[in-house]
Amino acid sequence: MSFSRTPSGLIAEHLFYQEILVYVEGRTDIPFYSTVLENYNCRIRTYSEEKGSNKLTEELVKKDLPYVVIVDGHYEMLKRTRSQHRRIVLLHRHSYENYLFEEKPIEQFCRDRARLTDSLEDVLSSSKFKEVLGQIEHNFKELIVLDVAHQNAETGYDSLPDKPYRFFNSQTGLNFLYSQIQQWRTEIANHIDSQSTDNARNLVEQFLKRCRFVDLLPGHFAFDIIWRLICDTLGGSIEKEEIRLYLSRVVWELVSTRDHNSLKRRLQNAVREVQQMRESDSSQI
């Protein structure tokens, strides 16, 4: 069964499926949310192709429609934005990839992969993980501040690359190119005023009082560093999709942070609410 992939077509989809529809930003998000919803009769759909999330959320709020929309935190979470509706599930981190950036599942991937190659010493240590988190904040904090400033000022300036490969001196390693980072930072600082930058820095500093810096990194950017960390630990290149699928599954088994627990609870509650709406409608027929 296929439908128009326009926003209006997406909104009408719930009328034609027995499953509860849950909308996410992109296809790579699906395994992460499928694990949380494996005991529910759901179909996870994407809206990124048409940038349809605004229309989906607007119509959900306006008409109380029976579906669920998951919305990435992006930089809106710096303002502690509240959801407009219980079935609009706002992430408390930039994107779902930031929920994968946890020591235990990454360490477990390295451990399992090392067993396959009889290289049991190739396991991520807690000290290395903490060191990497510190290096990420040290190297990219000012870039994120400037990116927040540009977005808040709506300059339209592309201030942060989608992936950080240009900031490393090898294809898979974790050796930062400080000169490249500094050069990029200087360039994007020239396109924004100092007051906007100061305002953005204050938002970031307030965020860091309660959260990790890595949770503020754009999702694709964060995942590329996860991949580099694993490749650096194991000493070879590994397919990104293998890592993504593994972490999307085991993170829910190994991690129990406030953010993970909140997301799981809110998402499952939203799905159960749709179930109750359908049961109520059926009983009135």
Side-chain angles (χ1 to χ4, degrees), residues 176-204:
F176 296 92
L177 282 173
Y178 303 106
S179 59
Q180 283 289 97
I181 295 170
Q182 178 62 43
Q183 181 180 346
W184 187 276
R185 191 166 61 201
T186 301
E187 170 64 22
I188 63 176
N190 290 332
H191 296 270
I192 190 72
D193 63 276
S194 60
Q195 185 60 59
S196 295
T197 302
D198 289 343
N199 292 341
R201 184 174 292 106
N202 181 59
L203 287 173
V204 171

Side-chain angles (χ1 to χ4, degrees), residues 74-80 148 200 203-204 207 210 216:
H74 293 157
Y75 295 142
E76 292 301 311
M77 62 185 178
L78 291 172
K79 306 171 186 177
R80 298 197 178 193
V148 172
L203 287 173
V204 171
F207 175 84
R210 63 185 189 275
L216 194 54

Side-chain angles (χ1 to χ4, degrees), residues 10 22 48 134 179 184 212 232 268 281:
L10 290 175
V22 177
S48 62
S179 59
W184 187 276
R212 308 178 307 172
D232 187 69
Q268 292 180 345
D281 291 342

Side-chain angles (χ1 to χ4, degrees), residues 233-244:
T233 300
L234 296 175
S237 184
I238 300 170
E239 288 292 331
K240 290 185 178 181
E241 280 310 297
E242 179 184 351
I243 295 172
R244 190 189 306 276

Side-chain angles (χ1 to χ4, degrees), residues 112-273:
D112 288 348
R113 187 65 180 238
R115 286 196 184 101
L116 295 177
T117 59
D118 296 323
S119 301
L120 295 181
E121 70 278 5
D122 293 331
V123 177
L124 177 67
S125 67
S126 182
S127 60
K128 179 175 180 178
F129 184 80
K130 292 176 182 177
E131 179 185 350
V132 169
L133 291 185
Q135 288 178 343
I136 292 169
E137 181 170 352
H138 174 74
N139 283 285
F140 298 117
K141 181 178 176 180
E142 190 63 21
L143 281 177
I144 292 297
V145 166
L146 290 166
D147 196 37
V148 172
H150 276 282
Q151 292 205 19
N152 286 347
E154 298 181 347
T155 65
Y157 192 79
D158 188 14
S159 54
L160 197 67
D162 192 38
K163 296 180 182 179
Y165 68 89
R166 70 180 65 231
F167 301 136
F168 294 91
N169 66 3
S170 63
Q171 289 189 332
T172 59
L174 271 173
N175 295 316
F176 296 92
L177 282 173
Y178 303 106
S179 59
Q180 283 289 97
I181 295 170
Q182 178 62 43
Q183 181 180 346
W184 187 276
R185 191 166 61 201
T186 301
E187 170 64 22
I188 63 176
N190 290 332
H191 296 270
I192 190 72
D193 63 276
S194 60
Q195 185 60 59
S196 295
T197 302
D198 289 343
N199 292 341
R201 184 174 292 106
N202 181 59
L203 287 173
V204 171
E205 293 294 349
Q206 291 301 314
F207 175 84
L208 293 179
K209 291 180 180 179
R210 63 185 189 275
C211 302
R212 308 178 307 172
F213 174 77
V214 75
D215 296 330
L216 194 54
L217 283 180
H220 296 305
F221 201 95
F223 186 77
D224 195 83
I225 298 179
I226 293 175
W227 171 70
R228 288 175 175 277
L229 172 58
I230 290 174
C231 291
D232 187 69
T233 300
L234 296 175
S237 184
I238 300 170
E239 288 292 331
K240 290 185 178 181
E241 280 310 297
E242 179 184 351
I243 295 172
R244 190 189 306 276
L245 291 172
Y246 183 100
L247 298 183
S248 292
R249 182 181 74 255
V250 304
V251 68
W252 296 109
E253 301 170 8
L254 300 178
V255 177
S256 184
T257 69
R258 178 184 59 188
D259 288 347
H260 289 79
N261 293 340
S262 171
L263 175 56
K264 184 175 183 178
R265 181 183 67 254
R266 289 181 292 125
L267 181 52
Q268 292 180 345
N269 285 345
V271 168
R272 283 194 290 266
E273 189 171 292

